[in-house]
Amino acid sequence: MTVSRFSLNISPMPSKKYHHGDLKNALINAGVEILAKEGIGGLSLRKVAQRAGVSHSAPYAHFPDKQSLIAAISTEGFNQLYAELDAVTSLYPYDPKKQLIEGSQAYVRFAMNNADTFKIMFSGVLEKEKEYPAFLEISHKTFERVVGIVQACQDAGILRASPSDMTAVTIWGQIHGVIALGMEGQISRTVLEHRSVQDIVAFAIEQLILS
Amino acid sequence: MTVSRFSLNISPMPSKKYHHGDLKNALINAGVEILAKEGIGGLSLRKVAQRAGVSHSAPYAHFPDKQSLIAAISTEGFNQLYAELDAVTSLYPYDPKKQLIEGSQAYVRFAMNNADTFKIMFSGVLEKEKEYPAFLEISHKTFERVVGIVQACQDAGILRASPSDMTAVTIWGQIHGVIALGMEGQISRTVLEHRSVQDIVAFAIEQLILS
DNA sequence: ACCTGAACACCGTTCAAGT
DNA sequence: ACCTGAACACCGTTCAAGT
């Protein structure tokens, strides 16, 4: 098979390259796929390499170690989570209450649809987060997004007006905590029989809303 | 060294046995120690065995696989968490508000003092929790304890009186979520500069209390 | 610059054998 | 019943070598 020499790569985004292609992104995608199919326990560098069609040592040309690949996968997960939060909240530019409600539901949806990526993002599998600036940047950017929504709600009198950065942590923590407990099977059957995690998060948000 | 043949084991609790002693519990303790010293990444069955002074295959006489040891460690963690919650709340038998405040602080303390055990208990390292009845029992017992405190608070008019089981999930989730975000470095530096995770949890509880 | 294959230390698990 | 030691498949990581 011959390939056109004339690349369509006009944008500055990375795209297919010569040889084995864009292996770095191929490895990240392979990792996400293995995560979805086999869970965290099934994620090995050698399997990722095999799925990307390269030798077991090829990843080391792009990632110094396994932790670094995990950081890249987590970063990719945060990018997607941020994008989904942004997409949903952009639908209601002048309705912070809707942003809060729909944003939190988007958060739950992301966790449910990408359970093992979500776990890897938040569950301490990644040690030494401090060493991965891209990871820190997008995770803090996500935090700032939540803060922004909460502040808008406070300005509109929808949430109690207390120091907004702590309130944001508190609210994010509540959403995140309910999901985390739900995913680990900590919420007893008697509760989950009647309502889904989605419902519980919606209930929690309702309790916080003033008007 | 000769050992007395006359055991002091009057109670039904397990205690030292002949030969290499109570290897099962020795393995659990060795696991907890490795967890504290080297983190989740350093926890291998072979290292646990070595620390307990037996061969690498000896653990298989007591645990069918590594997951089963992890389940036992998590179960032990829940037992300790439950005991600490129980001890603190028992100090204030007629003061549900104090129980809520001090109980949540005890929860945070446990997470901080046993960070990696806490992670292993809640972070999806244990797959197929359903297969470990002792784990399910104590984790649900802990859940029921939280529900009990919340109900007492509702009865005393300290917390909003909504369906108590959902409120308990919501409040537990809030405490748990703030800790989880804090431990993973998700809470931005600007927030954590001024207050500790303890303070944030205390703030969150205050927000919920009616009187 | 990017990739391969051999090599090394370590891991989980099994099993025949010892007491 | 409880433990050992050899063995196997798999893993992360390194490195000399190939293009």
Side-chain angles (χ1 to χ4, degrees):
Chain A
M1 291 217 307
T2 59
V3 174
S4 166
R5 291 182 164 283
F6 299 94
S7 168
L8 291 174
N9 190 16
I10 295 163
S11 80
M13 298 300 294
S15 95
K16 300 289 176 187
K17 297 207 207 84
Y18 78 109
H19 220 183
H20 277 91
D22 186 2
L23 183 54
K24 185 163 188 174
N25 281 315
L27 292 168
I28 294 173
N29 292 335
V32 170
E33 288 167 24
I34 290 173
L35 226 33
K37 264 171 203 148
E38 305 182 42
I40 294 177
L43 185 69
S44 78
L45 261 187
R46 290 173 101 109
K47 247 189 273 185
V48 169
Q50 190 185 26
R51 176 171 268 263
V54 292
S55 80
H56 64 265
S57 48
Y60 287 90
H62 301 275
F63 300 100
D65 54 24
K66 189 186 182 184
Q67 281 283 304
S68 188
L69 208 213
I70 290 177
I73 293 173
S74 298
T75 303
E76 182 52 31
F78 265 109
N79 277 321
Q80 198 190 325
L81 173 57
Y82 181 85
E84 291 182 12
L85 282 179
D86 198 55
V88 159
T89 54
S90 295
L91 293 176
Y92 314 98
Y94 303 112
D95 191 344
K97 188 174 171 180
K98 263 275 186 187
Q99 287 183 17
L100 180 65
I101 293 170
E102 297 299 326
S104 61
Q105 290 300 314
Y107 196 90
V108 180
R109 264 198 313 278
F110 177 84
M112 297 301 175
N113 294 338
N114 310 274
D116 283 276
T117 300
F118 186 83
K119 279 183 193 169
I120 237 183
M121 288 162 64
F122 287 106
S123 294
V125 180
L126 182 60
E127 305 159 0
K128 312 174 297 172
E129 320 83 58
K130 307 288 168 61
E131 296 179 16
Y132 304 98
F135 172 80
L136 286 183
E137 192 193 332
I138 185 63
S139 77
H140 287 163
K141 195 174 159 192
T142 305
F143 175 79
E144 295 304 334
R145 198 83 179 87
V146 177
V147 173
I149 295 170
V150 170
Q151 280 177 331
C153 286
Q154 289 175 315
D155 291 348
I158 289 157
L159 287 175
R160 207 195 288 221
S162 34
S164 60
D165 58 348
M166 281 189 93
T167 311
V169 172
T170 277
I171 292 178
W172 185 15
Q174 188 157 48
I175 297 166
H176 183 81
V178 170
I179 294 170
L181 293 177
M183 294 211 314
E184 292 316 310
Q186 298 296 330
I187 300 175
S188 75
R189 233 190 281 42
T190 57
V191 178
L192 277 178
E193 260 169 20
H194 310 89
R195 353 230 175 185
S196 66
V197 173
Q198 301 258 4
D199 293 338
I200 299 173
V201 169
F203 170 83
I205 298 291
E206 267 170 43
Q207 296 281 88
L208 293 170
I209 287 176
L210 298 177
S211 63
Chain B
M1 290 219 308
T2 57
V3 173
S4 165
R5 291 183 164 282
F6 299 93
S7 168
L8 292 172
N9 189 14
I10 295 163
S11 80
M13 299 298 295
S15 95
K16 301 289 176 189
K17 295 208 209 84
Y18 80 108
H19 220 185
H20 276 90
D22 187 1
L23 184 54
K24 184 164 188 175
N25 281 315
L27 291 169
I28 294 173
N29 292 335
V32 170
E33 287 167 25
I34 290 174
L35 225 33
K37 265 172 202 148
E38 305 182 43
I40 294 177
L43 185 70
S44 77
L45 260 186
R46 290 172 99 107
K47 248 189 270 185
V48 169
Q50 190 184 26
R51 177 171 267 266
V54 293
S55 80
H56 63 265
S57 46
Y60 287 90
H62 301 275
F63 300 101
D65 53 25
K66 190 185 181 185
Q67 281 284 305
S68 188
L69 208 214
I70 291 177
I73 293 172
S74 298
T75 302
E76 182 52 31
F78 265 109
N79 276 322
Q80 199 190 324
L81 173 57
Y82 181 86
E84 292 182 13
L85 282 179
D86 197 55
V88 160
T89 53
S90 295
L91 293 176
Y92 314 99
Y94 301 111
D95 191 344
K97 188 176 171 178
K98 264 275 187 189
Q99 288 183 17
L100 179 66
I101 292 171
E102 298 299 326
S104 62
Q105 290 298 314
Y107 195 91
V108 180
R109 264 198 314 278
F110 176 84
M112 297 301 177
N113 294 339
N114 310 276
D116 284 275
T117 301
F118 186 82
K119 279 182 194 172
I120 238 183
M121 287 162 64
F122 287 106
S123 294
V125 180
L126 182 60
E127 305 159 359
K128 311 174 296 172
E129 320 84 56
K130 307 289 168 59
E131 297 178 15
Y132 304 99
F135 172 81
L136 286 184
E137 189 191 337
I138 184 62
S139 77
H140 287 164
K141 194 173 161 193
T142 305
F143 175 79
E144 294 303 334
R145 199 83 179 86
V146 177
V147 172
I149 295 170
V150 170
Q151 279 177 331
C153 286
Q154 290 176 315
D155 290 347
I158 289 157
L159 287 176
R160 207 193 288 220
S162 33
S164 61
D165 58 348
M166 279 189 94
T167 310
V169 172
T170 277
I171 292 179
W172 185 15
Q174 187 157 49
I175 297 166
H176 184 82
V178 169
I179 294 170
L181 293 177
M183 295 212 313
E184 293 315 311
Q186 298 297 330
I187 299 175
S188 76
R189 232 190 281 40
T190 58
V191 178
L192 278 178
E193 260 168 20
H194 311 89
R195 352 229 176 185
S196 66
V197 173
Q198 302 256 4
D199 293 339
I200 299 173
V201 169
F203 170 83
I205 297 291
E206 269 171 40
Q207 296 282 88
L208 293 170
I209 287 176
L210 298 177
S211 65

